Amino acid sequence: AYITAHKAAVKAEVDALRMGQSVGLARAAAESPRAAGAPAPAPPVPTAKRPRQGTWTVAEKRSFLKLLAQHGMEWDKVSASLKGAKNPAQCAAYFENNRIKAGLDNVLEERA
């Protein structure tokens, strides 16, 4: 395999010289894996960790309480008012998970 690749590189350099191109460009093209018919390499995987998408910031929690008092359990409206930060399912799950601990039922009772 190495000899075949080397022959291809030498041939590419000779062809480039005949056409007046720089030998360095021809060498780079010949040495690339795609020149030998190999598939394109996969894009690099980002190494930085993304924040968890389900985590609620303090500002989102405050907004949620205000919106819960305003819209009740209409999660579509609550989600839309959060400007796309959370979807309706996330709003409903937050309500259910924090209903007792955060006293969210009291917010609904005050609304009524």
Side-chain angles (χ1 to χ4, degrees):
Y2 173 78
I3 295 172
T4 305
H6 181 68
K7 284 181 182 178
V10 171
K11 183 181 181 319
E13 286 182 17
V14 171
D15 291 342
L17 288 172
R18 285 185 186 150
M19 295 180 2
Q21 291 180 341
S22 166
V23 175
L25 292 176
R27 181 177 295 145
E31 291 174 355
S32 85
R34 296 188 77 184
V45 176
T47 57
K49 291 184 178 180
R50 293 186 312 181
R52 291 182 52 204
Q53 293 186 1
T55 304
W56 287 68
T57 65
V58 173
E60 289 170 338
K61 291 175 187 178
R62 287 182 188 145
S63 296
F64 179 82
L65 288 173
K66 291 176 186 174
L67 295 168
L68 182 63
Q70 184 179 359
H71 299 295
M73 294 174 64
E74 296 181 48
W75 305 127
D76 290 332
K77 291 181 180 179
V78 173
S79 173
S81 298
L82 286 170
K83 297 176 178 67
K86 303 293 178 191
N87 62 39
Q90 288 172 313
C91 293
Y94 181 80
F95 177 79
E96 290 300 326
N97 293 335
N98 296 283
R99 185 176 212 156
I100 296 170
K101 182 171 67 174
L104 300 180
D105 284 329
N106 297 335
V107 175
L108 290 176
E109 289 174 7
E110 292 173 7
R111 182 177 184 267

